[in-house]
């Protein structure tokens, strides 16, 4: 099952790269999220000027066997952010607009990819 998801994600990423036809560069701005730390307390994380067209697994929640998903993402970059419920850009996904409002605490994620439309 995981192999099929990985294959679908890889094919999707290749299609996105081929469609854009431009080299990857960094989004400008910050992508913020919340997560529960090892001590059980809520913490905040930030990706600063993240690369686009690259899947970024949120480091604090990369292992689903030992962590809860991150939540409440806030895309303050100049690119769209596609957030995924699984690591390596797998699972359900939602798109967040550039310089958008913070998402609800109910929106959970483990990975994100940035792109332009």
């Amino acid at each position: 099952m995981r192999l099929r998801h990985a294959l679908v994600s890889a094919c999707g990423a290749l299609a996105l790269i081929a469609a854009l036809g431009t080299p990857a560069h960094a989004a400008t701005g910050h992508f913020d999220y919340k997560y529960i730390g090892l001590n059980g307390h809520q913490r905040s994380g930030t990706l600063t000027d993240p690369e686009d067209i690259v899947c970024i697994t949120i480091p604090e929640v990369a292992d689903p066997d030992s962590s809860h998903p991150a939540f409440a993402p806030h895309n303050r970059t100049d690119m769209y952010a596609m957030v995924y419920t699984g690591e390596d850009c797998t699972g359900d996904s939602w798109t967040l607009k550039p310089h958008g409002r913070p998402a609800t605490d109910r929106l959970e994620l483990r990975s994100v990819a940035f792109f332009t439309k």
Side-chain angles (χ1 to χ4, degrees), residues 33-65:
Y33 53 91
K34 298 175 186 175
Y35 65 98
I36 303 299
L38 295 176
N39 61 3
H41 296 291
Q42 181 175 303
R43 305 203 49 183
S44 296
T46 301
L47 301 174
T48 302
D49 297 335
E51 283 191 59
D52 68 341
I53 317 175
V54 174
C55 179
I56 301 169
T57 298
I58 305 298
E60 297 90 351
V61 298
D63 183 2
D65 294 328

Side-chain angles (χ1 to χ4, degrees), residues 72-94:
H74 184 188
N75 184 19
R76 298 187 301 134
T77 72
D78 59 351
M79 295 187 161
Y80 287 86
M82 181 78 70
V83 298
Y84 296 86
T85 57
E87 66 278 0
D88 300 321
C89 294
T90 60
D92 293 334
S93 62
W94 290 267

